[in-house]
């Protein structure tokens, strides 16, 4: 921006700021200093112009706060009209004896054109306008303003609490919450101001009556005493001018009263008043009875047929056009979106990729579970799953995109993570799933099935058999709970697939608010963001949450060395945070049940590690198969009792055994000796040896 442009902009802003003070000074001058009739005419026209502009702005406002300056505008418009009344009173009383044109052309025109020069008619017209303004419009608008102000102020604490609740739930950002609080406060101030501003209109109408009486009485007295007119001539001259002056002021006052009433009676909508009324009157079935009733009245004897029957025809035409337009809209809505020929070969990245990491695809028979018109039971559970998993895992679980898939069966669903299908099954939306709890006292008829999450035997039953199933010992759940539980299980066991560099960056940014020195000592040296994300993914893959990320970051700082790869660094971190890992398995004072390997087998594994190096599966396949079979056999009694336990081995073999057991015992963690805190009690449930030897030990 050049210097001249900057100076011009400053001058324009200064000029805008000076308009209002100058206008107020002019209003005061109109009340004190005598002004010519020409200036008075300009003032009257300006008053009408402002009133019309205010009315149009009020009509086109979508909501009352769109014209939040209306109370102040109403104040200054009232002051303008009153100052013009004072100035016109001075002119009428001083120069009224010279004729109607002495007070200006506007007053003369209103006195002669609107009331035909008959002051008696003018008095009645003015009285009717005053009744309409004061009794009907102003009184009603004032009552609405008073009630709106009271209700708005009463609702203000509740609205503030709702904003705080949305902010705490993460539905609003701090900036959005601040903006909404400002809107609530502005709304309360606006309705409070409108309650007081309505008194301006009422006071202005009262002042108009008093000014009219003063002009009439004062004019007659001055005409007879000072100017030698007879009473009839003085009455005709001054009453005509007084009525013209009163009508000039009353017409803009009526416009402002209508504007005030339209503002306070508005209901919040995305449309302006014209669009809102047009949309609500655009119902064809409402116009059909109107046309029928008018048609019936039009054929009655003695009725003005040539007026009523055309009105009936017009109403019928409107009903026909509205019905035709609605039918055309329905046809257009049912038609598929046309594709422009020039865009047929234009393929965008959005057409071939999906930015959502988590996805739930459902068949068309399950749409009722996510339909908002039917309370969308599944959507509420998904929101709860995301919130709970985010707390447990230590990072925000991404949004879950739910969409229908016509390639699926009507009752099928599919869970995807990063585009990979991790789970799918079938549910019946109108039935309930009765799970075999293992202690049944009877059976219930239904469609045999299995729980998709844990593979339990189950039966799909009708809702009418719910009580029968509960009495028989079944655990009964609804279809949305079945899908939600399956989704929760799959997301929790695939958390590593959802964690990337962006999530690592957010964890570091959050930690930096409370421990800035720790974050500065961690990244970008000695560890890069990608290395930190890789370690976090490795921990999540083995069921280690990131809730206490500060402890993990401290361990990373202590263990980071240039000679360690990601796997070795992860093992070192696990040893430092062993207490965090153990507390997710059993309570603090309860001993940890473990399955260990005997010394000979540990020696074989150590030798395999030295030979295999960093191979993904360094253990010889035959030996690996025997280890899996033996450990699985040893674990069955613990699994039957639903007890949490761990497989404990040497630090050298821990990572390889973890990968080996993950497909067979996905719920069982594999720990090294160094990960168990010194004071933690341990219960050795079994010792697995080479050649399938298993020896059980008491705790």
């Amino acid at each position: 921006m050049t210097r001249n442009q900057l100076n011009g902009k400053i001058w324009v802003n200064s000029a805008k700021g000076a308009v209002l003070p100058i206008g107020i000074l002019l209003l005061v001058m109109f009340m004190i200093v005598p002004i010519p009739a020409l200036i008075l005419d300009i003032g009257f026209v300006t008053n009408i112009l402002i009133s019309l502009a205010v009315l149009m702005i009020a009509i086109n406002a979508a909501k009352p706060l769109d014209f939040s300056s209306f109370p102040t505008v109403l104040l200054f418009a009232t002051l303008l009209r009153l100052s013009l009344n004072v100035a016109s009173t001075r002119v009428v009383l001083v120069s009224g004896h010279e004729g109607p044109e002495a007070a200006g052309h506007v007053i003369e025109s209103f006195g002669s054109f609107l009331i035909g020069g008959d002051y008696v008619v003018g008095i009645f017209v003015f009285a009717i306008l005053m009744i309409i303004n004061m009794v009907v419009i102003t009184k009603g608008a004032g009552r609405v303003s008073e009630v709106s102000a009271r209700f708005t102020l009463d609702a203000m604490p509740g609205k503030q609490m709702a904003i705080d609740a949305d902010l705490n739930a993460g539905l609003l950002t701090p900036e959005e919450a601040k903006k909404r609080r400002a809107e609530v406060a502005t709304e309360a101030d606006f309705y409070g101001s409108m309650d007081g501003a309505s008194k301006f209109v009422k006071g202005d109408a009262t002042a108009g009556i008093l000014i009219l009486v003063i002009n009439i009485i004062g004019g007659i007295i001055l005409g007879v005493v000072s100017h030698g007119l007879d009473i009839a001539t003085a009455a005709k001259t001054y009453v005509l001018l007084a009525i013209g002056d009163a009508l000039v002021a009353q017409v803009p006052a009526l416009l402002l009263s209508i504007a005030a009433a339209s503002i306070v009676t508005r209901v919040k909508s995305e449309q302006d008043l014209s669009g809102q009324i047009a949309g609500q009157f655009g119902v064809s079935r409402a116009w059909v009875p109107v046309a029928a009733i008018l048609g019936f009245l039009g054929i009655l004897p003695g009725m003005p047929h040539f007026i009523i029957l055309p009105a009936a025809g017009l109403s019928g035409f409107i009903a026909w056009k509205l019905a035709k337009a609605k039918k055309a809209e329905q046809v257009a809505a049912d038609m598929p979106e046309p594709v422009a020929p020039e865009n047929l070969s234009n393929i965008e990245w959005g057409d071939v990729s999906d930015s959502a990491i988590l996805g739930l695809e459902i068949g068309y028979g399950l749409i009722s579970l996510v339909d908002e018109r039917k309370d969308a039971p599944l959507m509420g559970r998904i929101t709860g799953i995301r919130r709970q998993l985010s707390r447990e895992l230590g990072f925000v679980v991404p949004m879950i995109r739910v969409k229908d898939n016509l390639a699926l069966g009507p009752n099928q669903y599919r869970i995807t993570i990063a585009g990979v299908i991790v789970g799918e099954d079938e549910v019946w939306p109108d039935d309930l799933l009765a799970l075999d709890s293992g202690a049944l006292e009877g059976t219930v008829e239904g469609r045999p099935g299995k729980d998709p999450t844990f593979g339990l035997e189950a039966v799909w039953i009708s809702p009418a058999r719910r009580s029968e199933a509960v009495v028989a010992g079944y655990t009964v759940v609804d279809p949305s709970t079945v899908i939600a539980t399956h989704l929760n299980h799959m997301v929790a066991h695939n958390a590593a697939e959802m964690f990337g560099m962006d999530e690592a960056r957010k964890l570091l940014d959050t930690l930096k608010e409370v421990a800035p020195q720790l974050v500065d000592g961690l990244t970008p040296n000695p560890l890069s963001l990608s290395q930190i994300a890789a370690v976090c993914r490795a921990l999540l893959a083995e069921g280690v949450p990131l809730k206490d990320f500060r402890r993990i970051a401290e361990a990373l700082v202590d263990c980071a060395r240039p000679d360690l790869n990601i796997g070795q660094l992860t093992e070192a971190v696990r040893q430092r945070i062993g207490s965090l890992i153990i507390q997710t398995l059993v309570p603090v004072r309860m001993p940890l049940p473990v399955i260990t390997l005997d010394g000979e087998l540990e020696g074989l594994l150590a030798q395999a590690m030295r030979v295999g190096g960093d191979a993904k599966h360094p253990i010889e396949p035959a030996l690996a198969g025997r280890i899996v079979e033996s450990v699985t056999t040893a674990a069955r009694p613990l699994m039957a009792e639903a007890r949490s336990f761990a497989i404990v081995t040497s630090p050298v073999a821990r990572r390889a055994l973890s990968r080996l057991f993950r497909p067979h015992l996905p719920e069982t963690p594999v720990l090294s000796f160094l990960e168990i805190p010194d004071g933690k009690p341990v219960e050795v449930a079994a010792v697995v040896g080479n050649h399938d030897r298993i020896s059980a030990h008491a705790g």
Side-chain angles (χ1 to χ4, degrees):
M1 182 180 292
T2 64
R3 186 179 183 84
N4 291 335
Q5 290 176 331
L6 181 60
N7 291 335
K9 187 174 182 180
I10 294 174
W11 184 88
V12 170
N13 291 334
S14 300
K16 289 181 179 179
V19 169
L20 189 57
I22 293 175
I24 295 175
L25 290 176
L26 289 176
L27 295 182
V28 176
M29 289 180 59
F30 283 177
M31 295 182 184
I32 300 174
V33 180
I35 59 174
L38 178 61
I39 302 299
L40 192 61
D41 287 343
I42 296 174
F44 283 132
V45 174
T46 303
N47 187 22
I48 297 173
L49 182 150
I50 293 175
S51 301
L52 287 172
V54 169
L55 177 61
M56 294 301 107
I57 295 173
I59 291 175
N60 288 281
K63 55 182 181 294
L65 290 184
D66 288 345
F67 198 4
S68 58
S69 62
F70 181 77
T72 307
V73 171
L74 184 61
L75 168 63
F76 288 123
T78 303
L79 288 177
L80 172 61
R81 191 163 54 255
L82 293 176
S83 63
L84 290 174
N85 281 138
V86 174
S88 62
T89 297
R90 184 185 297 109
V91 172
V92 168
L93 295 179
V94 172
S95 305
H97 64 284
E98 298 177 3
E101 68 281 353
H105 295 290
V106 174
I107 292 178
E108 179 187 8
S109 300
F110 271 78
S112 60
F113 177 73
L114 292 183
I115 60 177
D118 190 338
Y119 62 87
V120 178
V121 175
I123 291 175
F124 287 118
V125 171
F126 175 78
I128 293 173
L129 289 178
M130 290 298 298
I131 292 172
I132 294 173
N133 192 1
M134 289 188 64
V135 179
V136 181
I137 301 176
T138 302
K139 186 175 181 180
R143 179 58 178 165
V144 173
S145 298
E146 180 182 352
V147 174
S148 299
R150 185 182 305 166
F151 285 176
T152 303
L153 291 174
D154 290 344
M156 191 173 178
K159 292 180 180 179
Q160 296 284 11
M161 293 176 62
I163 294 172
D164 293 338
D166 290 345
L167 178 62
N168 295 333
L171 302 177
L172 292 177
T173 63
E175 292 75 15
E176 291 173 338
K178 184 177 180 181
K179 182 179 179 181
R180 285 185 56 180
R181 289 192 187 99
E183 289 179 355
V184 171
T186 303
E187 184 180 21
D189 292 341
F190 173 79
Y191 282 109
S193 299
M194 282 302 302
D195 186 24
S198 61
K199 306 299 187 295
F200 295 149
V201 180
K202 184 176 182 181
D204 176 48
T206 304
I209 297 175
L210 295 177
I211 292 172
L212 174 64
V213 173
I214 291 171
N215 283 341
I216 293 175
I217 297 175
I220 294 175
I221 294 174
L222 287 174
V224 174
V225 176
S226 300
H227 304 294
L229 300 177
D230 58 88
I231 294 180
T233 304
K236 181 177 180 180
T237 302
Y238 285 99
V239 171
L240 190 62
L241 288 175
I243 291 297
D245 178 34
L247 290 176
V248 169
Q250 197 58 38
V251 170
L254 183 62
L255 296 177
L256 287 178
S257 298
I258 296 173
S262 65
I263 281 289
V264 298
T265 56
R266 284 302 309 273
V267 176
K268 291 183 180 179
S269 173
E270 296 180 356
Q271 298 177 317
D272 58 18
L273 186 59
S274 301
Q276 192 176 355
I277 293 176
Q280 294 172 358
F281 272 80
V283 181
S284 60
R285 61 177 179 271
W287 288 94
V288 171
V290 173
I293 293 172
L294 287 178
F296 176 75
L297 292 176
I299 61 176
L300 291 178
M303 289 290 178
H305 310 296
F306 295 106
I307 298 177
I308 297 180
L309 290 179
L314 178 62
S315 301
F317 177 76
I318 292 174
W320 174 73
K321 290 293 290 185
L322 291 174
K324 185 177 179 181
K326 184 177 181 180
K327 185 176 181 180
E329 289 178 0
Q330 292 177 346
V331 173
D334 294 337
M335 293 180 63
E337 288 289 335
V339 180
E342 62 270 14
N343 293 331
L344 290 175
S345 61
N346 186 17
I347 301 176
E348 302 292 341
W349 281 105
D351 299 330
V352 296
S353 64
D354 191 348
S355 59
I357 297 178
L358 295 177
L360 175 62
E361 301 176 1
I362 59 176
Y364 65 85
L366 305 181
I367 292 178
S368 60
L369 299 179
V370 296
D371 190 352
E372 293 184 356
R373 294 172 295 181
K374 299 181 180 180
D375 296 333
L378 181 57
M379 300 305 294
R381 294 185 182 274
I382 289 176
T383 302
I385 287 172
R386 285 190 62 232
R387 183 178 292 110
Q388 182 64 27
L389 285 177
S390 297
R391 293 194 186 110
E392 293 177 356
L393 297 176
F395 68 96
V396 178
V397 174
M399 294 286 292
I400 301 174
R401 175 172 293 178
V402 181
K403 60 182 179 180
D404 61 328
N405 187 345
L406 296 178
L408 297 176
N411 297 330
Q412 289 182 326
Y413 68 90
R414 176 181 295 166
I415 302 169
T416 61
I417 298 179
V420 178
I421 301 173
V422 296
E424 59 183 355
D425 213 289
E426 189 173 18
V427 298
W428 276 260
D430 298 325
D431 292 341
L432 300 173
L433 185 64
L435 301 173
D436 185 351
S437 61
L440 299 181
E441 299 179 358
T443 58
V444 63
E445 294 182 5
R447 185 186 300 105
K450 283 194 174 185
D451 170 45
T453 305
F454 304 106
L456 301 175
E457 296 295 332
V459 180
W460 285 99
I461 61 174
S462 65
R465 294 182 176 271
R466 182 188 186 105
S467 300
E468 179 184 348
V470 172
V471 171
Y474 287 92
T475 301
V476 182
V477 294
D478 58 85
S480 61
T481 302
V482 174
I483 299 176
T485 305
H486 195 190
L487 178 65
N488 180 80
H489 184 77
M490 301 313 300
V491 172
H493 283 75
N494 292 272
E497 303 298 328
M498 301 177 293
F499 193 90
M501 295 178 64
D502 291 329
E503 286 72 22
R505 181 75 267 170
K506 291 175 182 177
L507 280 178
L508 290 170
D509 291 341
T510 303
L511 180 60
K512 193 169 186 178
E513 295 179 0
V514 295
Q517 296 301 322
L518 174 59
V519 175
D520 292 341
L522 175 61
T523 185
N525 288 313
L527 296 176
S528 65
L529 182 62
S530 61
Q531 290 174 313
I532 296 172
V535 173
C536 291
R537 278 197 299 271
L539 293 174
L540 288 170
E542 295 199 54
V544 180
L546 307 178
K547 288 190 295 184
D548 196 346
F549 185 67
R550 180 169 184 162
R551 287 279 302 276
I552 297 173
E554 291 172 347
L556 284 170
V557 171
D558 294 340
C559 301
R561 296 201 310 269
D563 59 322
L564 296 181
N565 58 31
I566 296 298
Q568 295 168 335
L569 179 60
T570 304
E571 293 301 308
V573 170
R574 286 179 61 95
Q575 295 172 13
R576 290 293 305 274
I577 63 171
S579 58
L580 291 178
I581 300 174
I582 297 298
Q583 73 180 12
T584 63
L585 303 177
V586 292
V588 177
R589 297 183 180 181
M590 182 179 292
L592 173 66
V594 298
I595 296 176
T596 63
L597 311 180
D598 69 1
E600 182 182 355
L601 185 53
E602 288 284 2
L604 290 175
L605 292 176
Q607 182 180 357
M609 296 302 106
R610 287 193 296 269
V611 175
D614 292 332
K616 187 173 183 181
H617 297 288
I619 305 175
E620 190 268 329
L623 177 61
R626 291 198 303 272
I627 293 174
V628 170
E629 183 180 356
S630 300
V631 172
T632 303
T633 303
R636 285 196 185 105
L638 296 171
M639 297 174 65
E641 297 175 8
R643 296 179 65 189
S644 297
F645 66 96
I647 301 170
V648 179
T649 183
S650 65
V652 176
R654 195 213 68 83
R655 189 154 49 116
L657 284 180
S658 177
R659 286 196 293 263
L660 177 63
F661 287 119
R662 194 172 301 166
H664 308 283
L665 298 169
E667 306 288 338
T668 304
V670 179
L671 309 177
S672 74
F673 300 124
L674 299 180
E675 294 175 14
I676 301 178
D678 294 336
K680 182 66 180 179
V682 175
E683 175 189 346
V684 180
V687 177
V688 176
N690 193 17
H691 305 299
D692 295 334
R693 295 195 305 270
I694 303 174
S695 55
H697 292 256

